[in-house]
Every structure is written in structure tokens, then in C-alpha cells.
Amino acid sequence: MKGWFRLKKVVSREEALSHLKEGQTIMIGGFLAVGTPETLVDGIIEKRIGNLTVINNDTAFVDKGTGKLVVNKLIKKFIGSHIGTNPETGKQMNAGEIEVELIPQGTLAERIRSAGVGFGGFLTPTGLGTVVEKGKQKIEIDGKTYLLELPLRAEVALLKAAKADEFGNLIYRRLARNFNPMMAMAADLVIVEADEIVPTGSLDPDEIVTPGIFVDMIVKG
Amino acid sequence: MTAPRELIVKRVARFLQDGDVVNLGIGMPTMVANYLPENVHIVLHSENGFLGLGPTPEPGQADKDVINAGGAPVTILPGGCCFDSATSFGIIRGGHVDVSVLGALEVDEEGNLANWMVPGKLVPGMGGAMDLVAGAKKVIVSMEHTTKKGEPKILKKCTLPLTASHEVDIIVTEMGVMEVTPEGIVLKELAPGVTVEDIQAKTEAKLIIPEVIGSME
């Protein structure tokens, strides 16, 4: 193995969790908990790291995914597209214990992607004529109206991969991909929980979905 | 007599054409896939990131990483493929989905749709619905004609927060098939045994009645 690719990013779960702090903004991969790094989420609960702003598509279920963080009251603000599968989120929202910002799912994905790829924002027709357009700039292009949506970043991204090599190149499995590849590019610190960790050079370059340069730490799931 | 839901989904299925890329909402719209006419083969898109959505797996065959947008175990058909959420919604917003079929709390004569929240009662979030309705080439609303209390859901103007404005093309209920046009809602077909007076009585919006009205079956 030559040069930079020799770098091995595999760390202990304890080491990875030591970088998570009270009050951080954390992106977490997953759609209804499929593609969510459960071991890392459980670590946040064990260490009672609270007051978090969590970005995830949904709050999954009371006993799965980011839903567990809601139940443990570790989230101050949730940013996502759906909270309906976890009754606890709605309950805490109505009680004023958690702030919820709802964003159309495609807009959420693209806002995260924008942050990762250096866009200052993007124009989308989604949300026009609805509450989503409130406070947003409207821009007309070729006679069509769009909303200007801005990038969404986080301090930390917690991702789930099926396979990682020691450099951090990632392969996902089935529907566990979802938001993970975009989040890999949109946070200051990117921690991946992988079911399988293999030596660098053993993955087929054509099959790698997320380039390892985005990944800072890998934990065995 | 055909059950109301079956009548609805059977009719919706006949709007689909061979080769269409289709997104079916959770609940009644999901049933549309069971009633495709012979020789009509479609590709189902699932917002959580794949094309080639297949039926519920055999008992014991569920894969924890293969779910539909409602979280239920499903299968991926041979030829199907997985992708990330940005690509999934690029497919939707980019006009690559021919038809989106979804339910509604309210629809109005301008083609506005409300189906994602009831203030003070139900705030699940819009999920992918706003993108789907804004992005799909054709939007078909498939729903029961009235609320459980018998109140109209097809209104002059939606009262609930909108999912999208001016995007609904077709409304299919157990009473009939309606098309949303710039002039208003045109009654295209009636269910067996339903008269123009019957359907208008259960509809707040004034239906436009053409000279010829088809039969829904």
C-alpha cells in the first residue's frame, strides 16, 4: 500500500465516542433506522451526551435508530422529514421539550449534498405554495418559480456501512445507503460504523460508493 | 358488489401504462400493484432508495435492509437497483417518475392537495410527499370520497396546510373518476349505481359535467 492510503482509520468505539460532545449538531444516517449506526447511537445514550441537534430523515421508532435518542431526551432540536413513526417525538414536541424542524425529504437530502459539494444552495419546486416556502427567497428561471434552499452542515456525521476498508472507502447494503453518502461529505468529523472492515486494497474500486477521503474514523459495528 | 377500495385501486391501475415508472403511496395506493392489467409492466420506485420494488417476502425471508417507505419488509425484483436519497429524489424531482399515486385528506378544484398534517392533531411530517407531488409527471389521488363522518374531501379550497399547489391531475374515489382542469374538476366516470346528483351531493367543489360520462368499471 503506497502513500496516504496506508492510513488506517479504525478506532475503538470508546475513542470515537470521546469526540462527541454535549450540544453538538450531529447528522445520523438512516431511513426508519435502516442504515443507522446503532452501536454509536447506543454509545451516545450510555454516555448521556445531550442537548443535541440531530439531523436524520426521521425519528424511527421508540426502540430503534434516532428514536432511542428521543426517548432518552438527549435531543434539543430534531431536523428531518418525518416523525410519525415515533409517538414519543410528537409527545415531546407538544410538551415543548423538543424543537422539530420538518423539511421535505428530497430537500433535506439535497441540502446536505449541497453542503458537501460546495454549493451555496439550490432551486427546487418542492414546497411552493405550502408552509415550506415561508421566509424563503423565490427565484424565477425560464418562467418557472423555485424556492432557494440553503446547505445544511453538521459538526459530526455518524454513518453506517456494510463494508469499509481501513482507509474508509465504503460500501452500503440495499436500503441502508439512503442519506449516508451525502452526510459523509457534509460534516467536520465523519465516523463510520461498519459491519465488516477489510484491508485497504481489497475492495473493487468500481464498487466503492463513498470515497475514503471523507471518512475520519471507522468503528466495528 | 366490488368493495370500495378495490374499485378505486382497480381503476387507478388502469391509468398506468406499460413501462411507466410509478411511486405508490403507503396504504391504499400500495394495493394498486395487485391489479395491473395484463401486459402492463411497470417499474415501482421507492423513495428510500430503490427501483424494482417487489411484493412482501415469503414468511421467514424478510431482509432487515429491504423495506418500503413505510418501513414494511418488501423485496427487490431482479433488475432492481439501490441508490442514495439524493438520487432517489433526483429521480422524483427530475421528472423521471411518470405517475405518483397517493392518498389525500383534502383536494380542491385548483388541484391543491393536503395530506401531511392536521394542525394540533396529527403532525407526522411530509416525508417525501411534497417532492413526489411537485415532481411526478402525473399525480393521481386515490381516496375514499368523504371523511369517515361523511364530510366532503373534494373542496372549493383546501383548509388544511397544503402538500403542494396546482399539482393534482386525477382523483379516483369509490364514487367516480375526476380530472382537474384549469376550468375546475370535470366528472369523467361514475361508479356503478352512482348518479351525477349523488356524487355532487358528496362534493363541495362544483363538478363540471360533460355530455358523456363513462363508467368506472
Side-chain angles (χ1 to χ4, degrees), chain B residues 4 7-8 11 141-146 154 171-178 191 199 216:
Chain B
L7 181 70
I8 296 168
R11 181 62 192 93
V141 166
S142 105
M143 64 173 193
E144 268 129 24
H145 201 88
T146 59
I154 305 173
I171 306 165
V172 180
T173 75
E174 77 284 6
M175 298 191 84
V177 177
M178 290 140 279
I199 193 168
M216 205 172 144

Side-chain angles (χ1 to χ4, degrees), chain B residues 108-126:
Chain B
D108 71 25
E109 54 192 19
E110 289 176 3
N112 298 323
L113 167 69
N115 74 350
W116 74 280
M117 74 171 283
V118 180
K121 280 190 189 155
L122 180 74
V123 191
M126 67 290 276

Side-chain angles (χ1 to χ4, degrees), chain B residues 73-127:
Chain B
V74 289
T75 48
I76 305 175
L77 296 174
C81 64
C82 301
F83 32 79
D84 64 56
S85 303
T87 304
S88 184
F89 282 85
I91 289 171
I92 292 168
R93 244 189 278 100
H96 310 286
V97 170
D98 296 296
V99 184
S100 165
V101 182
L102 67 184
L105 297 169
E106 295 176 351
V107 194
D108 71 25
E109 54 192 19
E110 289 176 3
N112 298 323
L113 167 69
N115 74 350
W116 74 280
M117 74 171 283
V118 180
K121 280 190 189 155
L122 180 74
V123 191
M126 67 290 276

Side-chain angles (χ1 to χ4, degrees), chain A residues 81 83 105-106 126 173 175 178, chain B residues 47 63 65 85 93 124 127 131:
Chain A
S81 82
I83 58 170
Q105 194 177 150
T126 303
R173 186 171 181 279
L175 283 311
N178 56 66
Chain B
E47 69 180 28
D63 179 329
D65 290 332
S85 303
R93 244 189 278 100
D131 299 279

